[in-house]
Amino acid sequence: MAQNVLGGELETCGTEPMTGFYRTGCCDTGTGDTGVHTVCARVTAEFLEFSAERGNDLSTPRPEYGFAGLKQGDRWCLCADRWVEAHQAGVAPPVVLEATHARTLEWIDLADLRKHAAVD
């Protein structure tokens, strides 16, 4: 079973909308996931704008892919490097640590993730 950044079992990130590289609701990863979609984030309006400015519009519905578009508060598995970019720009969204894959620690320090931990 996959582990989260805290060393426990990887929890589900979100199913409404269905997220994850494999669209299982989990931020699991594997050899085909070159984007490393391992950070479970609760997206913010600021992050969605930031991502769109960098060429990855996550807000606009794409019905041809069964994607309704994200809105503030949705949970989504982000690419580790995109979260790092957002962090450096001061717009990193909150992170759900229990649902963030342990492989994320190859890109992001646990202390930084803890500073941005989502509070339910």
Side-chain angles (χ1 to χ4, degrees):
M1 195 51 128
Q3 288 193 326
N4 63 38
V5 293
L6 301 175
E9 185 176 320
L10 184 65
E11 294 182 8
T12 299
C13 180
T15 57
E16 291 292 326
M18 187 63 75
T19 191
F21 179 75
Y22 299 107
R23 293 299 188 260
T24 61
C26 289
C27 297
D28 212 348
T29 189
T31 56
D33 181 14
T34 57
V36 192
H37 296 77
T38 58
V39 179
C40 180
R42 187 178 305 127
V43 297
T44 62
E46 295 81 11
F47 172 77
L48 291 170
E49 182 179 328
F50 173 83
S51 186
E53 289 171 354
R54 279 159 180 70
N56 188 16
D57 181 358
L58 297 171
S59 303
T60 301
R62 300 289 307 265
E64 66 272 26
Y65 298 113
F67 181 67
L70 299 179
K71 62 187 181 316
Q72 182 167 315
D74 285 342
R75 287 183 173 196
W76 195 249
C77 295
L78 300 179
C79 295
D81 61 349
R82 178 55 43 96
W83 191 91
V84 170
E85 288 176 14
H87 180 258
Q88 291 170 343
V91 295
V95 176
V96 181
L97 298 174
E98 298 81 4
T100 296
H101 196 282
R103 186 160 180 226
T104 301
L105 298 175
E106 295 175 25
W107 284 266
I108 307 166
D109 188 68
L110 182 57
D112 287 330
L113 292 171
R114 285 184 187 275
K115 288 177 192 171
H116 290 85
V119 179
D120 288 329

